Amino acid sequence: MTNQSYPRNNDLSCEKVKELFDYKDGELFWKRPGPNKRTDRPAGAVNRDGYRRIKYMYKLYAVHRLVWTYHGNEPVAFIDHINGDVLDNRIENLREATHSQNCMNRRVRSDSKSGVKGVTRKKDKWHACVTLDSRVYSGGYFDCKEEAIAAVDKLRKELHGEFARS
């Protein structure tokens, strides 16, 4: 789900990003002050989608994409935050991913009744299920919520590998 007002592609080169910004602990700081460009605090602002974005030459850039480029990486379609924190833009926390892998690493939905990804209540049982490539894999039905959690964790590790998130 990409908001069209924030294009994914980063048209700034590594050299240009290094010319404009200093990198420190996952944050980018403007090298030269100017209107709305302070050197004493991280560049950009956090938008309602939760990501920090920087405006440069009338375009908005996602900070994690600029950090990715800053470290000499080629632009990619999807960048995953390993720990799930979209404001943690340390290069160690960023990795290339496919759309499917990026979805695997999502957090539990705020409207989840069980509070666990893949665990739902079906009549009088707890159902454990995991989705991979638009296919739903069932881990079974359980009387106990804890058993369903264990089953969905096991299934997720098998199917999602390093992108598994409970």
Side-chain angles (χ1 to χ4, degrees):
M1 178 177 359
T2 303
N3 187 335
Q4 294 303 318
S5 63
Y6 303 126
R8 270 190 238 155
N9 296 328
N10 177 9
D11 58 358
L12 296 178
S13 68
C14 177
E15 294 75 25
K16 186 65 177 176
V17 175
K18 287 186 175 189
E19 177 187 321
L20 293 170
F21 302 103
D22 285 322
Y23 170 82
K24 183 179 180 202
D25 297 327
E27 301 285 357
L28 293 176
F29 296 85
W30 291 104
K31 281 192 173 181
R32 285 181 238 110
N36 299 321
K37 295 179 182 176
R38 295 185 50 174
T39 58
D40 61 336
R41 62 180 175 202
V46 178
N47 285 1
R48 64 180 167 208
D49 62 358
Y51 289 85
R52 182 175 289 278
R53 305 215 184 258
I54 295 173
K55 192 170 195 174
Y56 175 70
M57 298 297 288
Y58 306 103
K59 287 186 181 180
L60 282 172
Y61 294 92
V63 169
H64 64 279
R65 294 195 166 279
L66 294 176
V67 168
W68 184 259
T69 302
Y70 184 96
H71 286 88
N73 298 305
E74 291 294 319
V76 293
F78 294 94
I79 299 173
D80 181 48
H81 290 82
I82 296 169
N83 68 5
D85 181 358
V86 297
L87 291 177
D88 183 356
N89 294 312
R90 294 172 296 124
I91 191 64
E92 305 85 36
N93 189 44
L94 302 177
R95 63 182 167 193
E96 181 178 356
T98 65
H99 180 261
S100 179
Q101 290 168 330
N102 206 19
C103 291
M104 292 174 198
N105 197 21
R106 283 186 182 160
R107 294 181 186 166
V108 66
R109 290 174 46 126
S110 62
D111 63 349
S112 170
K113 300 274 193 253
S114 69
V116 180
K117 274 178 39 176
V119 176
T120 57
R121 187 78 170 164
K122 300 278 183 176
K123 295 185 180 178
D124 59 343
K125 300 275 187 180
W126 291 97
H127 182 219
C129 62
V130 174
T131 303
L132 177 64
D133 297 328
S134 301
R135 183 169 173 209
V136 178
Y137 295 83
S138 178
Y141 291 87
F142 303 91
D143 292 322
C144 177
K145 181 178 170 182
E146 287 71 28
E147 291 173 353
I149 292 170
V152 81
D153 282 344
K154 181 180 180 228
L155 189 57
R156 186 170 284 112
K157 285 176 186 161
E158 288 173 15
L159 296 172
H160 293 176
E162 68 176 300
F163 288 87
R165 172 190 285 261
S166 296

